[in-house]
Structures are given as structure tokens and as C-alpha cells.
Amino acid sequence: MNNQPVPPKLSIRNLYKIFGSNPKAMLPRIKAGLGKQELLVRHQHVLGLEDINVEINAGQITVIMGLSGSGKSTLIRHLNRLIEPTSGEILLDGEDITRLSHDALRRLRQTRMSMVFQKFALLPHRTVLENTALAPTIRGEPGPGVKENARRWLERVGLKGYEENYPHQLSGGMQQRVGIARALCSEAEIMLMDEAFSALDPIIRTDMQSLLLELQRELHKTIVFITHDLDEALRLADHLVVLKDGRIVQQGEPQSIILNPADEYIENFVRDINRARVLRIRSVMAPADAATGRDRIDAGATLEDALERANGAADHIFDVAEDGRVVGTLAMTELFKALVPRHARQREG
Amino acid sequence: MAGYSTLFEALGLTDWCASAKSGGPMSMAELLAKASGKSGETGVWDMPFPSLDVLHESCGAIPRSRDLTAGLETWFLNIKDPMKLVLDPVTQPLSWAIDGALTGIVAVPWWIVIPVFMVLVQLVARSARVTALVALSLLALSLIDHYVYAMQTLAIILVCAFICILIGIPVGIAMSRSDRLRAAILPLLDMMQTLPTFVYLIPLIFLFSVTESKLYGIAIIVYAVVPVIRLTDLGIRLVDKDVLEAADAFGMSKNQKLFGVQIPLALPNIMAGVNQTIMMSLSMVVIASLVSAPGLGALVLRGIAKLELGVGIVAGLGIVILAIILDRVTKAALVRVDRAAKH
């Protein structure tokens, strides 16, 4: 783990978004504590986002999760200013992109941020290859190199041989592979993914998640991923942000959110997940530094792995190892406790 | 005097009414009233609607309805000359284009014109069946000695439709970009489409001489330009918002979006507009024969004027044949564009 403070790639500060005829006038009222419902009923304005503060680290996948209407799609569109904020700052490497001129913004979109969409949004009249090469084409880069590069990315996402097809000839999953290849082909450091896998079948969705993780291990892009699916969020996230009604309810490392939900909303959210498969031993072990010669298990393994290794023995204790060094111990009793959601635990206690 | 005199008296406007009491020709109603000798008081039951004519009877200062039409006419006659000063040079190229096309198409021998048309049709429609249909139709029209008339009609339509497209597509694009412009132009388009076609001809006859071909050229263009404008606007507005958002997200400029995304994706709708524009030009070219447009329409007009039943009907059927081939060619082109754009 890296404990050095690295400045975040993107940081969202005090971001507000109000939809309506005169959002600027509504802002002071919201800051003074006017509720979303009152704003709608009394002033016919919709509160989209309220006081959002998120730091997005370079090379990580930041997942923004929320149900529909929570403002997650609005939020991601602020990052490349497809939607203009009502107030607040969005700093990219310290530079406020909300102040960029029209041309500077266009250059930013062409070179530093790419985007993948829920409904793929490929250009239907262009071939897969031309779609993939969209960003360099827009930048006006010259011919053969661009094509070669696009071909390479298509091969990387598993679409070799489909270059001359049109998007409608491809299945949904394949179209989204083109969407990803298009985003990668722009060579932008930041990738915005708006419910990128939500329109796909469950099995294909899992495939695509694996593809994304595999690409990410190699490319270390800064990815902002929007989803309404908790399992997807937990699988992908390095940093998880949970949105509700335009506000951040909780954010942090996914494991810690599961173990320490901030409120009832999060508790309800995480109640139905398979905790054994999601939680890692690192998150539930007791720290220790001396090996006791017991059964060793990797800190990154899931609780399910530990259950399997213990073979049903309830009094088993593991040494937890990370990078070959013992960092803690895990008693099966602790593991069992972690399997029960906090709310239920409190009820019994 | 009808019952409204008392009203003007009550309002104290008698002097104002009397001051302007000028003669002018009597209206037909006045004449009839005089002839029947009936005048004086009318009961509530017979109270006429207070139209301009009725009010004029009670108060001479109020204009009569016929002053409205007369006024319009005077107004138009007054602005006619300055308007002509501007419109004449601006529209002169239209005359040249139509005259050139008319002379050109007749001057070139038939054994060049028909194959050239077939090649063009093949290029546009890419369908052997449609090309064969066009060839057969043209040969059939030639066989009954309607070749020159048909070619004149075609020449007028092609020139006018081309100008319609030249005007219509940019206007449609501008409309699709500005809701305000759209709101301003839509009523105008509605009027252009619903105004009886003969009505266009009246002011044009005042403006230009009947021997000038731009006279009917303008009438055809004004009538036929509407669908291509409407459908260009519609087509661009219907382009998938998600695709446009993607174009924005990857930093396309306005022009890149217009030529790279919006127009290609709107092309099926634009082509449907072009098809309608051509069909409407054809319907107008028949009426335009009233103001000396040559071609099959002139034959129809002869059929009506001289009661030559056979001439009129054969020319009419010739127009149907032209309509069919124009429609089939543009539809085939539309299908081709559709296949390319609507993946």
C-alpha cells in the first residue's frame, strides 16, 4: 500500500447542480438549508447535486453508485462539462475545468478524457474501425497510423476481424467493446464510464468487467465508473462513492463501507450481497506482526476462501500474510461475525 | 340608416363621422336598398352584423371592406417598382437557368438525352429495374410524339427542384439549430403550403412580365421548397441524442458534428423531403402553364381551353408517367441512403 499523499487527479469541490429557470437564485436558499422537496414544490427547481466533494485518484477506478434519480449520471457529465455546474469547482491536476473556455474544453475532451456510454452511442453510419478511430479523427491526426492504432485496440478488446462491420451488425456486448476501444484509442488518461455495462446481459456484463479489470491492470487509467449495481461496484471499485438524492451518503474503500455502513440506507443497500465472496481477509483480520506457525492465508483472499480452507472447523485460526510477511491473524469466530450485517448484529446485542 | 347611427351618436362621434363623409362608389347592397326603396329603421331581429360595410353606412369615417382589398392593391402597386428593382436582378439567374435548360434539352438530340438520363438514374438509384422503367417511359412518351413536351417539363422541374434543395437544406439546418427561427419560419411554411397555388401567380404577374420564365420558376420554388426545409429540420432534430452526446464528449466542433453526424444521419429524411419537393414541382408546373410554362402542362391547358379531350387526357397521362418515374428514382435513392445511414 502506498501511504505517500499523492495529489488527486480530479477533485470535485462543493459541486451544486440545480435544474430550473433560475438556478443561481436558488443556490443561496439551498445553502441555507432548503430541502429538495420544498425547492421543487415552492420554486419549481430540481436539486440535482448537493455539495459533492470527491477526490479521484490517478490510476484507480472510482465507482459512483446510486439508484436511478440519485444524480450519478449528472455527476459524471460534470467532469467533462456535458452539464454545466451551478456552482463549485472541478480540478483536473489542480486546474479548474469549470473555467475553461469553449475551445480549451473541446481540447480537453479530445485529449484528456474519453467516455463510454450506457447505450453505446456509436456512430451508426461509420464502420467499427472508423468508430474506434473517432478521437484521433476529431483531433485531425493523419491517416495510416491512426487506423493501425485503432486496429490494435480493436484486437485488444477481442474484436479482430470486425473492423469493416457496421455497429448494428454487432451484438450489444460487442458494440460496447467498440465503445471501450473507442475510448482507449483516444489515449486519454481519464475514462468516464456511464453505466457502461448496465444494458448488457448478466454473463456478458461479468465478461466486460473482467475485460475492464484486465485492461486496467495494464493501462492504469483513471476511471470513473457509474453503476446502480452493487456487485459491479464492489468488483471494480478502488474507491466507492454512494449517492442518494444528489448527496453523497458515504464514500471510501468498498470493504470498509460494507463493514461500517454510515446509515440505514447503506445498510439496506449492502444487506443482500454475498459478504463471504466480497469481503477480503485484510478487512476483518486482527493486526499482528509475528508468525505463530499456523496455517497461512493471503490477505487478499476472500472470506469464502478462508471458509473453504478451514473446512468447517469453527475454532481454526489463520496467520494472514501479505507479500510473504505475516501482517495479522484471523480467527474463524471473527470471520463469522463479519458475515453478519451490522444492523442484525446490533439487534442481537 | 341602419341601427348603428344611435351608437355613434351616443359615443359623441357624429362630427368625426360626418367630417369624412366622402362619396365614392356605392356598394351593391346600397344600390339594392335604394332600388327596393326600403330604408329607415330596422328592428333588433334584423340587426346586421357590424361589419365594415354596415358601419360605413352609419359613419362615413369608417372604411368599407372593399377599401381593404383596394388598399392592398394600391400598396402592392406602390412597392412594386422598388421591389422589382431588387428582385429582378436577384431572380434573373433563375430565368437564365430555366431558359438554358429548356433550349439545351431540346437542342441535344434524343439519342444522347435518353441515354444520359439512364446513366444518371443508374448512378442515383443503383437499380436496374428503375433504370429500365425510366427508359421505357421516355421511349413511350417519344413514340407518341410527346418527347419535347416531356423534356421541357422535366427540365423545368429539375432546375426548380435543384434550386429548392440549394435553398431548403441550409434553411432547414438553420431551423434545426434555433428554436426561435423555427417558430418564426413554421407559420410561413404553413402558409406557403396551404395558400391555393393560383394565388402565388397573381403578385408575380404584377412583378414580372408573363414571358419571363422566372415568373413560373419562382411560383414553383415557393410552393415546392417547403417539404425539403421541413424534413431537413425534422431529420436533424431526430438524430439520436446519445450519439450527439458522444460526439460532444469526444470534443467534436459544431461543424464536425453537422457534417460528420447530423447530416449523414438525417439524410434519409432529407431525401424524403427531396422526393416530395420534386413531386410538388411537378404538380405546380402544370398550373404554371397558365403563365406560359411550356411542356405537358401547356397541352393540358390546351385540352381545357379548346375542349380537345384527347390532347388533354394524353398529356395528363404523360404527366402521370413523369410523376411515376421521378417518384421511383428518388424513392430508390432514398432506400439506398436509408440503408447506408440507418444501421
Side-chain angles (χ1 to χ4, degrees):
Chain A
M1 282 221 195
N2 192 352
N3 288 327
Q4 262 177 303
V6 182
K9 172 87 0 208
L10 264 169
S11 95
I12 305 170
R13 293 203 184 146
N14 308 106
L15 187 76
Y16 284 83
K17 177 65 189 179
I18 300 167
F19 295 100
S21 50
N22 192 2
K24 289 272 182 222
M26 295 298 132
L27 192 63
R29 295 175 206 237
I30 288 295
K31 286 187 172 167
L34 187 76
K36 181 176 179 145
Q37 204 56 39
E38 281 174 285
L39 183 76
L40 181 64
V41 174
R42 267 209 268 153
H43 303 285
Q44 288 81 47
H45 280 64
V46 176
L47 181 57
L49 294 172
E50 185 180 354
D51 199 14
I52 303 288
N53 288 283
V54 182
E55 313 244 292
I56 292 160
N57 290 321
Q60 287 199 343
I61 303 183
T62 300
V63 174
I64 298 169
M65 192 188 66
L67 302 177
S68 52
S70 62
K72 54 193 191 305
S73 289
T74 310
L75 178 55
I76 201 174
R77 278 167 178 70
H78 276 85
L79 297 178
N80 58 358
R81 266 177 65 193
L82 286 174
I83 297 178
E84 296 286 340
T86 305
S87 102
E89 290 179 328
I90 298 160
L91 306 178
L92 170 59
D93 288 333
E95 186 193 9
D96 188 359
I97 64 168
T98 61
R99 288 171 207 277
L100 288 183
S101 72
H102 198 75
D103 287 332
L105 177 64
R106 212 148 49 71
R107 266 195 302 282
L108 174 99
R109 289 172 177 173
Q110 285 174 359
T111 53
R112 302 194 66 184
M113 284 190 193
S114 59
M115 196 161 180
V116 183
F117 297 86
Q118 178 175 12
K119 290 177 192 151
F120 323 136
L122 303 172
L123 302 186
H125 60 295
R126 296 198 188 169
T127 63
V128 166
L129 187 68
E130 288 165 340
N131 265 293
T132 307
L134 181 69
T137 314
I138 292 173
R139 292 197 292 256
E141 285 165 23
V146 167
K147 284 240 160 113
E148 237 6 87
N149 208 13
R151 238 178 259 282
R152 206 164 50 78
W153 283 118
L154 276 176
E155 194 177 338
R156 190 68 193 77
V157 300
L159 283 180
K160 191 178 166 63
Y162 290 95
E163 289 86 353
E164 299 310 318
N165 285 69
Y166 283 91
H168 80 286
Q169 297 167 313
L170 272 52
S171 68
M174 288 159 94
Q175 288 191 37
Q176 196 56 301
R177 280 169 197 262
V178 180
I180 291 175
R182 173 172 73 175
L184 292 172
C185 192
S186 95
E187 311 279 355
E189 58 203 305
I190 298 168
M191 227 167 118
L192 308 176
M193 304 184 77
D194 178 27
E195 301 231 24
F197 305 148
S198 300
L200 305 174
D201 300 335
I203 294 175
I204 300 188
R205 195 190 296 187
T206 315
D207 282 351
M208 296 295 282
Q209 289 161 4
S210 307
L211 174 73
L212 181 67
L213 287 171
E214 190 190 319
L215 288 166
Q216 175 64 357
R217 266 196 293 279
E218 195 180 303
L219 303 169
H220 302 293
K221 299 261 180 201
T222 305
I223 299 179
V224 181
F225 194 102
I226 298 282
T227 183
H228 61 254
D229 179 357
L230 184 63
D231 289 318
E232 185 167 76
L234 294 173
R235 185 152 182 230
L236 300 176
D238 294 311
H239 183 81
L240 180 61
V241 180
V242 184
L243 273 185
K244 184 198 174 201
D245 293 337
R247 258 191 314 227
I248 293 179
V249 195
Q250 190 172 8
Q251 61 174 318
E253 214 246 331
Q255 303 267 315
S256 72
I257 292 183
I258 300 172
L259 289 170
N260 307 300
D263 63 9
E264 211 164 314
Y265 180 75
I266 308 268
E267 271 171 32
N268 288 335
F269 226 105
V270 300
R271 186 159 50 199
D272 295 329
I273 55 162
N274 185 342
R275 296 168 75 91
R277 193 168 295 164
V278 172
L279 285 173
R280 313 234 162 231
I281 288 172
R282 185 186 299 121
S283 319
V284 295
M285 69 180 187
D289 43 15
T292 48
R294 282 180 289 236
D295 202 2
R296 276 201 184 195
I297 193 159
D298 189 73
T302 61
L303 299 191
E304 196 176 53
D305 297 333
L307 279 170
E308 202 182 323
R309 285 268 296 278
N311 212 0
D315 54 355
H316 203 87
I317 298 177
F318 288 104
D319 273 345
V320 182
E322 182 141 34
D323 302 326
R325 212 162 48 81
V326 172
V327 291
T329 57
L330 174 70
M332 288 304 278
T333 43
E334 287 305 311
L335 185 151
F336 291 140
K337 272 189 205 159
L339 286 180
V340 183
R342 191 185 68 169
H343 190 67
R345 250 182 287 156
Q346 278 171 346
R347 237 187 338 225
E348 274 158 43
Chain B
M1 282 295 135
Y4 290 101
S5 312
T6 33
L7 177 69
F8 287 108
E9 274 162 33
L11 288 171
L13 292 170
T14 329
D15 287 342
W16 173 69
C17 287
S19 69
K21 193 142 196 166
S22 58
M26 265 195 251
S27 73
M28 187 58 93
E30 280 175 319
L31 267 173
L32 283 175
K34 215 169 204 178
S36 63
K38 260 205 286 182
S39 70
E41 294 309 302
T42 41
V44 177
W45 187 258
D46 294 323
M47 190 77 130
F49 182 84
S51 68
L52 287 178
D53 280 352
V54 171
L55 290 176
H56 177 79
E57 273 180 57
S58 309
C59 174
I62 291 173
R64 274 174 294 193
S65 286
R66 72 159 168 233
D67 294 330
L68 176 74
T69 49
L72 196 63
E73 206 171 301
T74 341
W75 171 76
F76 188 80
L77 288 175
N78 282 336
I79 62 158
K80 186 190 93 161
D81 285 325
M83 230 167 116
K84 206 176 156 166
L85 211 64
V86 181
L87 280 181
D88 226 12
V90 170
T91 52
Q92 198 52 44
L94 179 62
S95 273
W96 294 331
I98 293 177
D99 292 340
L102 283 173
T103 5
I105 211 156
V106 178
V108 178
W110 62 271
W111 45 267
I112 294 181
V113 173
I114 294 182
V116 164
F117 266 117
M118 286 173 64
V119 169
L120 281 179
V121 166
Q122 181 62 31
L123 283 179
V124 172
R126 302 270 163 84
S127 156
R129 267 182 51 202
V130 173
T131 311
L133 175 77
V134 171
L136 274 179
S137 307
L138 291 181
L139 290 174
L141 284 169
S142 313
L143 189 70
I144 54 170
D145 283 299
H146 279 56
Y147 171 78
V148 174
Y149 299 111
M151 283 304 149
Q152 284 171 331
T153 300
L154 262 183
I156 296 171
I157 291 171
L158 292 182
V159 168
C160 292
F162 179 72
I163 293 171
C164 284
I165 293 165
L166 230 52
I167 298 171
I169 290 181
V171 173
I173 290 170
M175 268 172 78
S176 73
R177 288 184 161 198
S178 153
D179 284 331
R180 205 180 291 175
L181 185 69
R182 184 171 195 257
I185 290 185
L186 269 186
L188 197 69
L189 293 184
D190 288 337
M191 198 181 83
M192 282 156 74
Q193 225 170 9
T194 46
L195 210 61
T197 42
F198 290 103
V199 179
Y200 293 132
L201 296 175
I202 304 171
L204 289 173
I205 291 169
F206 276 91
L207 276 176
F208 308 113
S209 111
V210 192
T211 52
E212 283 178 293
S213 35
K214 66 183 169 194
L215 172 55
Y216 57 82
I218 293 172
I220 294 170
I221 290 168
V222 169
Y223 183 63
V225 77
V226 179
V228 74
I229 296 179
R230 268 189 209 284
L231 283 158
T232 303
D233 169 51
L234 179 76
I236 290 181
R237 280 171 188 271
L238 284 183
V239 170
D240 192 350
K241 294 280 173 293
D242 292 325
V243 173
L244 281 180
E245 190 179 45
D248 275 330
F250 281 91
M252 274 200 188
S253 68
K254 259 195 154 185
N255 277 341
Q256 282 175 324
K257 260 196 302 187
L258 181 64
F259 294 107
V261 183
Q262 289 172 308
I263 290 182
L265 293 185
L267 211 51
N269 271 314
I270 295 176
M271 281 302 297
V274 170
N275 169 277
Q276 285 192 34
T277 286
I278 290 179
M279 300 320 282
M280 286 174 74
S281 311
L282 182 65
S283 69
M284 193 64 186
V285 84
V286 177
I287 291 165
S289 63
L290 283 173
V291 283
S292 79
L296 292 169
L299 286 185
V300 175
L301 192 66
R302 199 177 100 192
I304 296 169
K306 300 189 180 169
L307 290 178
E308 290 177 327
L309 178 87
V311 174
I313 288 182
V314 169
L317 290 177
I319 288 167
V320 172
I321 291 176
L322 281 190
I324 290 173
I325 62 176
L326 286 170
D327 184 60
R328 289 298 175 275
V329 171
T330 45
K331 284 255 173 73
L334 172 67
V335 168
R336 193 165 65 84
V337 166
D338 217 9
R339 229 181 283 137
K342 276 244 173 83
H343 284 303

